[in-house]
Amino acid sequence: MAVALSIFTVAWGGNEFTPLLVFYRQEGVFSNLFIDLLLVFYAIGVGVGLLAAGPLSDRLGRRTIMLPAPIIAAIGSALIAGGENTALLIAAGRVLSGIAVGMVMTAGGAWIKELASPRFEPGIKKGIGAKRASMSLTAGFALGPAVAGSMAQWLPLPGQMAYILHIILSLVLLPLLLTAPETRQTAHHGLKGSFWADVLVPSALNRRFLLVVAPIAPWVFGAGFTSYAVIPTLMHEMVSAPIAYSALLALVTLGSGFTIQQFGPQIMGNSKTRGPILAMIVAVVGMSGAFLISLHPHPWWALLVGVFLGLTYGLCMFMGLAETQNIATPSDMAGLSGIFYCLAYSGMVFPAILTKLNAWFSYPEMLGFGVFMAILCLGLVSITARKL
């Protein structure tokens, strides 16, 4: 629980920014492209955190890497709060928020996976570690924007209040991490090999990882950010409280993802194919819904589409993480998890790409291409999941 709460808090800070995209657009200080690029800055930070923290935590221990993460997240929130009208500050804050999220995804996810073992919890079932890690992240990703959007819509200091709350939450929960036992015991028996050898993560070349996990991963945040970053843009003029509506859409999306993740182990079972194929079927349905909404915008129907995109997020997150943990060796558990999450976060650039391409293509055309890509990935996973 101590590790899960830390992951939850950092994820809260990483995603509370999302509904405030609408607020920054209303303020008119930054261009729409820069506002969408803030998602890319965040994704860059996540990538740095993932690729560095995973091998480092495999090498030095989980607690060593996890302890600084909530502090870095709090500093990121402070910079964003102070940078409401300053591009450099807000961009730096987003990068730091991303780095912290990357750290907890890899080191924290591996820590939870190792704590969910017979050594610490006798009789525990397979897949519970992936379930707890994915649900901790999703709960933070869901409640962060829901609270932040509501505060920005109806409370004073809309550009600061949510970040102040996150800073307080981070510092209050930080001491709990000291109570969790270290699980990466080899970290205490001397360092073996070089850090750069750890970065290579040999299991990343596993064929099932390349041909089953990799095609699923981008749809985690590709679906999520289509729902709560792209669709609110299409609904902006159709709702009276656009910031709160964006927060509601994020809550519906990630709440659906959180709910389905509770049943992840049962859905996956002992089948090599059921989980990955179902995840991609739901991705096709969700992206098809987004395509239809772009043709005929309607706020209530958009919430229904958000449910399916949230189910896509939740299933792809759980199935991808469970597959990754099954493939990884004990020495590169966090490292391979970091690569999976990097692939997952590649879907975050989708809103910025759509904004940039909107000068040449319409949203229905671009989202229609997204449907085609989802069908292509479904076909690939349907073949490779059976064979590998």
Side-chain angles (χ1 to χ4, degrees):
M1 185 59 70
V3 181
L5 282 173
S6 183
I7 294 174
F8 165 81
T9 305
V10 173
W12 174 303
N15 210 31
E16 67 180 337
F17 181 85
T18 307
L20 294 175
L21 291 170
V22 177
F23 166 73
Y24 294 117
R25 292 187 207 281
Q26 289 179 341
E27 290 288 282
V29 175
F30 307 119
S31 70
N32 285 339
L33 180 58
F34 176 78
I35 291 170
D36 282 331
L37 283 174
L38 289 171
L39 297 176
V40 179
F41 295 149
Y42 169 73
I44 291 171
V46 171
V48 172
L50 290 172
L51 294 176
L56 280 173
S57 75
D58 285 334
R59 189 172 179 81
L60 303 176
R62 310 307 183 200
R63 184 189 286 114
T64 301
I65 304 303
M66 276 290 289
L67 277 173
I71 299 172
I72 293 172
I75 294 172
S77 284
L79 289 175
I80 297 170
E84 180 181 342
N85 299 309
T86 308
L88 183 60
L89 283 180
I90 201 169
R94 288 299 287 160
V95 171
L96 288 179
S97 295
I99 290 173
V101 168
M103 293 169 72
V104 301
M105 279 182 151
T106 50
W111 204 356
I112 283 185
K113 159 68 176 175
E114 290 161 352
L115 287 168
S117 66
R119 176 183 161 204
F120 295 98
E121 194 170 342
I124 193 167
K125 296 180 180 179
K126 180 182 177 181
I128 298 299
K131 172 182 171 180
R132 290 174 177 171
S134 60
M135 288 177 67
S136 301
L137 282 168
T138 302
F141 285 150
L143 292 180
V147 173
S150 301
M151 295 176 78
Q153 185 72 63
W154 290 298
L155 294 184
L157 300 175
Q160 288 80 38
M161 191 69 75
Y163 301 111
I164 293 171
L165 174 61
H166 172 249
I167 292 168
I168 295 171
L169 193 63
S170 299
L171 298 180
V172 167
L173 294 177
L174 177 62
L176 290 178
L177 270 183
L178 296 172
T179 67
E182 177 59 70
T183 56
R184 183 67 179 144
Q185 297 301 327
T186 54
H188 302 301
H189 302 303
L191 304 180
K192 297 180 180 180
S194 70
F195 168 74
W196 297 111
D198 292 342
V199 171
L200 294 177
V201 189
S203 54
L205 299 178
N206 178 281
R207 291 182 65 203
R208 187 168 178 89
F209 184 82
L210 293 174
L211 297 176
V212 177
V213 178
I216 291 174
W219 296 101
V220 174
F221 291 106
F225 275 82
T226 294
S227 182
Y228 50 78
V230 174
I231 290 179
T233 302
L234 304 177
M235 303 295 141
H236 183 265
E237 296 181 357
M238 303 183 70
V239 294
S240 58
I243 302 175
Y245 178 79
S246 179
L248 174 62
L249 194 50
L251 182 61
V252 167
T253 302
L254 293 166
S256 301
F258 180 86
T259 301
I260 198 65
Q261 284 170 349
Q262 297 185 62
F263 305 101
Q266 292 90 333
I267 293 171
M268 192 171 193
N270 294 319
S271 172
K272 295 172 58 179
T273 59
R274 185 168 58 211
I277 291 175
L278 179 61
M280 288 313 307
I281 289 173
V282 178
V284 171
V285 174
M287 291 305 297
S288 298
F291 167 70
L292 292 174
I293 280 293
S294 69
L295 289 173
H296 307 288
H298 191 285
W300 290 110
W301 285 114
L303 292 175
L304 179 60
V305 172
V307 170
F308 283 97
L309 289 171
L311 293 175
T312 302
Y313 162 91
L315 284 169
C316 289
M317 172 77 85
F318 175 82
M319 298 305 166
L321 188 57
E323 289 276 356
T324 297
Q325 292 181 350
N326 287 336
I327 292 167
T329 64
S331 61
D332 62 5
M333 177 68 69
L336 191 63
S337 297
I339 293 175
F340 163 70
Y341 282 127
C342 277
L343 294 171
Y345 264 102
S346 67
M348 266 195 68
V349 304
F350 199 31
I353 291 173
L354 263 60
T355 299
K356 184 65 176 178
L357 294 181
N358 196 33
W360 298 281
F361 303 100
S362 68
Y363 273 98
E365 289 172 334
M366 292 185 286
L367 290 170
F369 179 72
V371 176
F372 170 76
M373 291 303 298
I375 293 172
L376 197 64
C377 290
L378 170 59
L380 175 62
V381 169
S382 297
I383 295 169
T384 56
R386 287 186 173 90
K387 292 184 176 181
L388 299 175

